């Protein structure tokens, strides 16, 4: 709901439980009024009438109160917008007009030839903001910085900042620490979202998993980005974020050109971190993820088992075993194309390797379909090996600086996707590939960061940072439109490209190259703060885990860990015993039963993975499932019962595993006993209301 005051200068946007209010002063300053529980327009008008606190000549009263602080004038905060023209720098805007359209508010300002439109839209309790900059003048403008939005928190003492951090094979680990005076900046200057942080922050003062106020903000951009959380000298807190890491020049706008910033979404919840996560998940399933109401299938992928050493016959044997275990989607990973027998060659040449697939991919795809499974492949379209036909033909199609080294990571360079000829080449290759065989799924990888992001000959080469992402999005959108039955997975050496932008055009993400079932618990715990299980791919791989740590764990433990997301199998099935295959078949069958709850239900994190017991619960309608994992039991002490969530205290629930009937009130207040013992034990407990 969107309400406008009679004077056309105060607005309140409301979701089911929350409101967001802004006010435009007589001097055209756009001030933040409220973000929190629902309020009425009259409440916002009282807030609008409150004068800003005064200050000395060393302070700017506007600081910490503006919705979109521009550069210049009486401000000392980090500007959300920094514009340069041949004559001047900074912005001094005047209000032009406002427009309302359902739940969307547009506030339009002008400064000489530049039009600045701030967009606000409510999606349930999530507020989406973005900014559109139009050059309506006659001279070029340089956008040094153009953030999506600035979010302002209410005055409180002692905020705590939560975010996730990590690196390759160790992504999205949650940290929470006191915010102090100054700025905390997270982001990526790597050209992709990065393994180091998900573009998300949460702030609270005293929230728990179950209760308390939580503010969260998440950016939808798959290139370099920055979110800065500032505690100002008067203790007010503002969060500013957008595309690009630095102020060194984002884009140059010629007369008539415009730039739409990425989306910056945010929410307030008074139901703790659990409530905030459930609101994020529901928002993404309803408004971000394509076809989110469709189940994601159980997949098999042989990457960990076979690496580059693949052949049609070997893949067929694996496919037979996978089908017998109940797998629904068989994926051929790296190594099927060009001269790709190692990571030294082939990227760029997206046609099947004639030695390995003499008749192309169709025979294998048909065989996989005849086994009752969908067929998928791996690609890494934005990359190129110098040892490829493409590079030999077009050495200038990569990002490079004239006269400088071309840095290779994993023996590969990054294609310059800002170039139209590169865009067209990739479209033709991928469209041709998807038309050449019945392909149902594409794992789209991105295995190195930008290092030499230059474009010799272009008047404004910096733009390739932004234009790469725009071209990636356009290519994905075009492929999805031409091949509506194909699902896409975003992968970047695991979780290096996960954000609301890529999620609006992919069906799931590869959470991490780390498939160790114990490490995964913390990775999944951090990931679940923002994104739903519906997109969180998780594989069961071999034990010992030779890839990472030689850890030995049971199939039971590996399956229960992976069943908390979109289940996949990534072990060498040709080495699994008949007993192991039979056990896998049972776990996969059980996963298919609980899948509607896991992929579409409400998540309750019962116990964080801190070394002992950890557990998640998914509920949907009258059903609930608990996935509980015990890392280590100590001193023979009994494992504590799990207090469940989201149940009706007056109802009775049958546990399908034990046949026992429990009162809802007992499960909520005294808990469910798991029967877990020893080290690396795990269980799945299903409950049905009777
Ligand atoms: C990346 C992915 C892996 C695998 C390899 C193939 O590292 O994260 O899952 O696809 O590339 O080269």
């Amino acid at each position: 709901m969107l309400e406008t005051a009679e004077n056309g200068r105060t607005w309140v946007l409301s979701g089911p439980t929350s409101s967001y209010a802004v006010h435009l002063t007589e001097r055209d300053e756009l001030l933040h009024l409220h973000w929190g529980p629902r309020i009425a327009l009259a409440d916002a008008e009282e807030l609008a009438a409150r004068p800003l606190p005064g200050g000395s000549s060393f302070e700017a009263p506007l600081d910490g109160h503006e919705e979109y602080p521009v550069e210049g004038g009486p401000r000392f905060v980090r500007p959300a917008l920094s514009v340069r023209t041949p004559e001047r720098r900074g912005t001094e805007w005047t209000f032009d007009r406002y427009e309302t359209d359902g739940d969307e508010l547009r506030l339009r300002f002008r400064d000489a030839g530049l039009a600045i439109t701030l967009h606000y839209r409510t999606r349930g309790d999530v507020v989406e903001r973005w900014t559109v900059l139009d050059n309506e003048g006659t001279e070029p403008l340089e956008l040094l910085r153009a953030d999506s939005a600035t979010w302002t928190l209410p005055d409180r003492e002692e905020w705590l900042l939560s975010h996730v951090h990590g690196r390759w094979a160790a992504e999205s680990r949650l940290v929470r620490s006191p915010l102090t005076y100054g700025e905390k900046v997270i982001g990526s200057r790597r050209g992709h979202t990065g393994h180091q942080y998900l573009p998300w922050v949460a702030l609270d003062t005293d929230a728990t998993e179950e209760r308390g106020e939580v503010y969260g903000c998440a950016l939808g951009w798959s290139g370099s980005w920055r979110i800065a959380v500032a505690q100002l000298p008067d203790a007010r807190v503002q969060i500013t974020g957008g595309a690009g890491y630095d102020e060194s020049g984002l884009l140059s706008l010629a007369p008539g050109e415009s730039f739409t910033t990425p989306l910056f979404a945010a929410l307030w919840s008074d139901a703790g971190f659990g409530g905030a996560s459930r609101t994020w998940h529901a928002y993404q399933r309803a408004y971000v993820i394509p076809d989110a109401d469709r189940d994601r299938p159980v997949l098999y992928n042989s990457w960990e088992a076979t690496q580059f050493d693949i052949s049609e016959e070997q893949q067929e044997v694996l496919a037979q075993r996978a089908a017998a275990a109940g797998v629904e989607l068989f994926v051929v990973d790296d190594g099927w194309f060009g001269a790709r027998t190692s990571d030294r060659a082939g990227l760029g040449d997206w046609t099947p390797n004639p030695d390995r697939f003499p008749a192309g991919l169709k025979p294998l795809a048909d065989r996989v379909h005849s086994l009752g499974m969908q067929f998928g492949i791996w690609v890494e379209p934005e990359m190129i090996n110098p040892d490829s036909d493409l590079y030999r033909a077009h050495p200038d199609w990569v990002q490079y600086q004239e006269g400088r080294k071309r840095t290779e990571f994993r023996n590969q360079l990054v294609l310059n996707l800002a170039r139209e000829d590169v865009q067209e080449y990739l479209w033709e290759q991928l469209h041709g590939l998807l038309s050449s065989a019945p392909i149902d799924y594409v794992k789209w990888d991105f295995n190195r960061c930008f290092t030499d992001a230059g474009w010799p000959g272009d008047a404004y080469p910096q733009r390739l940072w932004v234009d790469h992402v725009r071209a990636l999005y356009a290519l994905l959108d075009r492929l999805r439109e031409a091949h509506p039955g194909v699902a896409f997975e975003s992968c970047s050496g695991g979780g290096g490209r996960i954000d609301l932008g890529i999620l609006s055009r992919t069906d799931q993400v590869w959470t991490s190259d780390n498939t160790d079932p114990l490490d995964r618990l913390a990775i999944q715990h951090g990931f679940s703060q923002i994104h739903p299980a519906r997109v969180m791919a998780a594989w069961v791989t071999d034990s010992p885990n030779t890839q990472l740590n030689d850890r030995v764990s049971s199939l039971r433990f590996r399956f229960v860990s992976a069943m908390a997301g979109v289940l996949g199998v990534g072990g060498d099935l040709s080495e699994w015993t008949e007993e192991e295959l039979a056990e896998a078949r049972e776990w996969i069958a059980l996963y298919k039963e609980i899948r509607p709850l896991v992929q579409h239900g409400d998540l309750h994190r019962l116990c964080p993975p801190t070394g002992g017991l950890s557990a998640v619960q998914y509920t949907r309608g009258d059903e609930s499932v608990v996935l509980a994992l015990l890392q280590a039991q100590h001193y023979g002490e009994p494992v504590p019962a799990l207090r469940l969530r989201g149940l009706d205290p007056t109802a009775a629930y049958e546990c399908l595993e034990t046949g026992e009937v429990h009162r809802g009130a007992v499960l909520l207040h005294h808990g469910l006993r798991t029967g877990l013992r020893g080290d690396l034990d795990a269980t799945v407990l299903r409950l049905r209301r009777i």
Side-chain angles (χ1 to χ4, degrees):
M1 185 171 81
L2 168 58
E3 295 164 281
T4 307
E6 251 172 52
N7 63 7
R9 289 202 158 236
T10 299
W11 296 270
V12 181
L13 296 112
S14 296
T17 71
S18 62
S19 292
Y20 190 97
V22 300
H23 172 66
L24 187 70
T25 70
E26 293 306 320
R27 289 183 298 278
D28 289 353
E29 299 145 343
L30 185 65
L31 303 184
H32 178 77
L33 293 182
H34 171 83
W35 185 20
R38 260 190 96 121
I39 59 167
L41 192 55
D43 304 326
E45 285 175 316
E46 176 184 331
L47 288 167
R50 282 189 186 182
L52 290 180
S56 72
S57 59
F58 294 98
E59 305 296 339
L62 286 174
D63 279 355
H65 296 270
E66 285 189 296
E67 278 290 292
Y68 194 70
V70 297
E71 186 181 30
R75 313 177 166 85
F76 307 112
V77 292
R78 183 187 277 279
L81 180 67
S82 173
V83 184
R84 179 165 64 188
T85 72
E87 280 82 45
R88 56 177 197 282
R89 182 165 168 162
T91 301
E92 195 175 280
W93 73 28
T94 51
F95 183 59
D96 180 6
R97 61 174 189 269
Y98 77 90
E99 289 164 8
T100 60
D101 178 7
D103 286 334
E104 187 177 331
L105 169 67
R106 294 189 279 270
L107 301 176
R108 197 176 143 95
F109 301 85
R110 296 186 63 94
D111 179 23
L114 177 64
I116 303 153
T117 311
L118 308 184
H119 292 247
Y120 296 80
R121 181 169 63 196
T122 48
R123 299 289 209 192
D125 278 314
V126 170
V127 182
E128 295 179 334
R129 290 182 58 187
W130 68 99
T131 299
V132 179
L133 299 150
D134 292 291
N135 185 351
E136 297 178 345
T138 52
E139 56 181 4
L141 294 167
E142 192 183 11
L143 300 178
L144 298 171
R145 182 85 203 160
D147 276 339
S148 302
T150 298
W151 302 96
T152 305
L153 300 186
D155 291 336
R156 299 279 188 275
E157 280 176 17
E158 309 203 341
W159 285 102
L160 296 161
L161 170 67
S162 299
H163 68 90
V164 293
H165 74 103
R167 57 188 164 76
W168 176 78
E171 299 90 333
S172 53
R173 287 166 301 150
L174 184 64
V175 281
R176 178 169 176 241
S177 50
L179 193 67
T180 53
Y181 290 91
E183 275 185 308
K184 171 82 182 183
V185 178
I186 61 169
S188 158
R189 49 158 62 94
R190 297 160 184 263
H192 63 125
T193 322
H195 298 81
Q196 289 66 31
Y197 309 97
L198 291 175
W200 164 84
V201 292
L203 288 117
D204 75 290
T205 56
D206 56 0
T208 64
E209 183 66 18
E210 299 303 325
R211 60 188 70 82
E213 289 188 306
V214 175
Y215 290 84
C217 311
L219 200 60
W221 185 244
S222 311
S224 294
W225 59 278
R226 185 179 72 197
I227 296 176
V229 183
Q231 183 171 320
L232 303 175
D234 62 358
R236 285 180 74 82
V237 173
Q238 287 194 313
I239 303 148
T240 302
Y245 192 85
D246 302 304
E247 274 82 9
S248 51
L250 194 64
L251 278 180
S252 157
L253 290 187
E257 283 186 340
S258 76
F259 175 60
T260 300
T261 71
L263 190 82
F264 205 3
L267 60 77
W268 166 88
S269 168
D270 67 351
F273 290 99
S277 298
R278 285 185 289 280
T279 302
W280 276 127
H281 298 175
Y283 160 70
Q284 287 166 75
R285 286 193 304 253
Y287 298 105
V288 179
I289 302 157
D291 304 322
D293 48 354
R294 272 201 222 147
D295 288 354
R296 292 302 308 146
V298 177
L299 71 72
Y300 177 77
N301 180 306
S302 71
W303 169 248
E304 282 199 25
T306 61
Q307 301 268 308
F308 291 101
D309 190 13
I310 67 168
S311 70
E312 191 171 327
E313 303 72 52
Q314 166 224 49
Q315 292 290 306
E316 201 173 314
V317 170
L318 289 167
Q320 276 162 3
R321 294 203 143 206
V327 165
E328 301 160 309
L329 162 62
F330 182 84
V331 182
V332 177
D333 207 277
D334 203 346
W336 60 266
F337 54 91
R340 187 80 169 165
T341 52
S342 75
D343 63 16
R344 304 200 158 273
L347 290 175
D349 303 336
W350 298 107
T351 44
N353 178 321
D355 299 331
R356 294 179 164 191
F357 297 92
L361 292 170
K362 190 165 184 308
L364 179 61
D366 286 342
R367 181 76 185 111
V368 165
H369 281 151
S370 75
L371 289 165
M373 296 183 291
Q374 297 179 0
F375 179 72
I377 48 155
W378 178 96
V379 293
E380 196 181 355
E382 298 146 271
M383 299 293 166
I384 182 167
N385 286 115
D387 185 359
S388 64
D389 292 341
L390 182 64
Y391 191 76
R392 282 181 281 274
H394 299 286
D396 55 332
W397 276 14
V398 300
Q399 299 179 356
Y400 73 103
Q401 311 268 0
E402 196 68 71
R404 297 272 167 97
K405 274 205 285 288
R406 301 182 181 200
T407 310
E408 291 180 29
F409 280 149
R410 211 190 189 212
N411 308 302
Q412 65 197 55
L413 302 168
V414 186
L415 282 172
N416 181 355
L417 256 67
R419 291 178 65 119
E420 278 174 26
D421 43 12
V422 171
Q423 294 165 13
E424 214 38 42
Y425 172 80
L426 290 178
W427 156 255
E428 277 163 19
Q429 292 290 301
L430 296 168
H431 176 55
L433 179 65
L434 295 181
S435 311
S436 72
I439 294 168
D440 307 292
Y441 164 96
V442 172
K443 175 179 174 183
W444 185 300
D445 214 333
F446 180 94
N447 274 317
R448 58 154 295 172
C449 312
F450 292 9
T451 50
D452 317 295
W455 185 354
D458 191 82
Y460 198 80
Q462 296 97 301
R463 74 184 168 101
L464 74 77
W465 293 86
V466 168
D467 284 351
H468 186 102
V469 183
R470 288 168 153 178
L472 165 70
Y473 287 173
L475 185 55
L476 276 166
D477 293 346
R478 195 172 170 195
L479 287 166
R480 289 190 79 98
E481 206 186 320
H483 303 274
V486 179
F488 290 80
E489 177 176 87
S490 172
C491 173
S492 171
R497 191 153 63 190
I498 302 171
D499 58 82
L500 296 177
I502 202 78
L503 276 171
S504 68
R505 38 184 63 83
T506 48
D507 300 81
Q508 62 184 57
V509 296
W510 183 220
T511 318
S512 176
D513 273 346
N514 185 334
T515 59
D516 173 83
L518 187 60
D519 287 353
R520 264 299 177 112
L521 299 180
I523 293 171
Q524 295 177 176
H525 180 70
F527 184 95
S528 77
Q529 302 297 319
I530 160 118
H531 301 301
R534 167 61 177 68
V535 298
M536 185 179 78
W539 302 348
V540 172
T541 53
D542 291 336
S543 168
N545 189 313
T546 47
Q547 199 204 198
L548 270 181
N549 52 23
D550 288 329
R551 181 173 285 127
V552 175
S553 56
S554 62
L555 262 187
R556 162 179 287 274
F557 193 83
R558 281 175 273 155
F559 264 102
V560 178
S561 171
M563 282 160 72
V566 177
L567 178 65
V569 177
D572 187 354
L573 294 185
S574 62
E575 296 288 321
W576 287 22
T577 64
E578 287 306 322
E579 293 73 46
E580 285 172 323
L581 287 169
E583 187 182 339
R585 188 177 174 77
E586 280 176 28
W587 285 115
I588 290 172
L590 176 60
Y591 178 73
K592 289 175 186 170
E593 277 181 40
I594 64 169
R595 171 162 55 194
L597 283 76
V598 173
Q599 296 193 2
H600 312 289
D602 286 337
L603 166 69
H604 296 268
R605 290 178 294 252
L606 303 180
C607 238
T610 49
L613 179 64
S614 82
V616 289
Q617 178 192 356
Y618 297 91
T619 57
R620 195 181 192 218
D622 289 340
E623 290 181 274
S624 197
V625 62
V626 176
L627 306 175
L629 301 102
L630 177 66
Q631 181 176 348
Q633 189 181 16
H634 292 290
Y635 317 113
E637 278 170 5
V639 173
L642 285 169
R643 287 183 61 189
L644 304 191
R645 304 291 167 200
L647 303 181
D648 177 354
T650 65
Y653 293 85
E654 183 190 358
C655 175
L656 303 191
E657 274 57 45
T658 62
E660 288 170 0
V661 173
H662 304 281
R663 307 280 311 159
V666 173
L667 295 173
L668 288 165
H669 296 277
H670 300 276
L672 177 69
R673 294 196 173 138
T674 60
L676 295 176
R677 277 174 73 83
D679 291 347
L680 299 185
D681 195 8
T683 191
V684 176
L685 296 164
R686 286 169 296 164
L687 294 159
R688 187 169 295 151
R689 185 184 176 130
I690 50 175

